[in-house]
Amino acid sequence: MHAYSVFALAVLGLLLTPGPTNTLLALSGAGRGVRASLPLMLGEIAGYLLVILALVVLFSDFLKTHVGLAQAIKLCAAIWVAFLAVRLWTLPSSAPVGAAITPRRVFVTTCLNPKGLIVGLVLLPQAPLPRIWPYILLFSALVAFAALMWLCVGAFLIRHADRSSPRLVRGTASGFLLVLSLGLAGNVFGIL
């Protein structure tokens, strides 16, 4: 199989799995619809590219020898995701489910998402930047595709549930984010 195909399948598998960024995208799709949520995709792409390019250009070798820093990044991610869970839980019931989700929050969530570390340190070929640009462009297109899928999931599935039971949808999403946060924290402390 061609190297780009293997990379694309691995990236899609990673990006389509539920996580904090995808939860935000789905909730925004449910609350505001796909079209109004499209700017969030730019926040996600920018967040991933910042992390991946920083890893490739500056920190790849450094993080391999300083495991504590990678653990600190995961702990920051756990704290941020817990903050998002609490924020979602405490939204007034009159607020639309996507109201608290902004491109900035998606950007920060994506920067702290461990998926960026996996792409930058594991999935991307370990090569000089000029040789991996085609992979970076392919990755960006795959992020946009996966984001669109999550926005559609929200718009078509969660929206219907939200109309009949908005508190249940928010509570479920908030609980899911809290479980993700605890999983990240447990990973840092060797509990999970």
Side-chain angles (χ1 to χ4, degrees), residues 120-153:
L121 296 174
V122 178
L123 298 180
L124 270 176
Q126 300 300 309
L129 189 57
R131 289 195 22 219
I132 63 168
W133 273 116
Y135 288 94
I136 299 289
L137 294 173
L138 176 59
F139 175 76
S140 298
L142 293 170
V143 169
F145 173 77
L148 186 59
M149 292 299 101
W150 280 100
L151 291 173
C152 289
V153 163

Side-chain angles (χ1 to χ4, degrees), residues 40-54 103 106-113 116 139 143:
L40 299 177
M41 292 168 58
L42 297 175
E44 182 180 13
I45 292 169
Y48 276 130
L49 289 180
L50 177 68
V51 169
I52 290 167
L53 292 173
V106 169
F107 172 79
V108 171
T109 301
T110 304
C111 284
L112 294 170
N113 193 331
F139 175 76
V143 169

Side-chain angles (χ1 to χ4, degrees), residues 85 88-89 165-177:
L88 184 60
W89 182 263
S165 195
R167 216 46 206 150
L168 177 65
V169 169
R170 289 178 197 196
T172 302
S174 179
F176 181 72
L177 287 172

Side-chain angles (χ1 to χ4, degrees), residues 33-72:
V34 173
R35 182 178 291 174
S37 299
L38 288 176
L40 299 177
M41 292 168 58
L42 297 175
E44 182 180 13
I45 292 169
Y48 276 130
L49 289 180
L50 177 68
V51 169
I52 290 167
L53 292 173
L55 287 172
V56 168
V57 174
L58 303 173
F59 298 113
S60 179
D61 292 333
F62 184 77
L63 283 178
K64 288 176 186 172
T65 59
H66 294 83
V67 180
L69 182 58
Q71 296 295 80

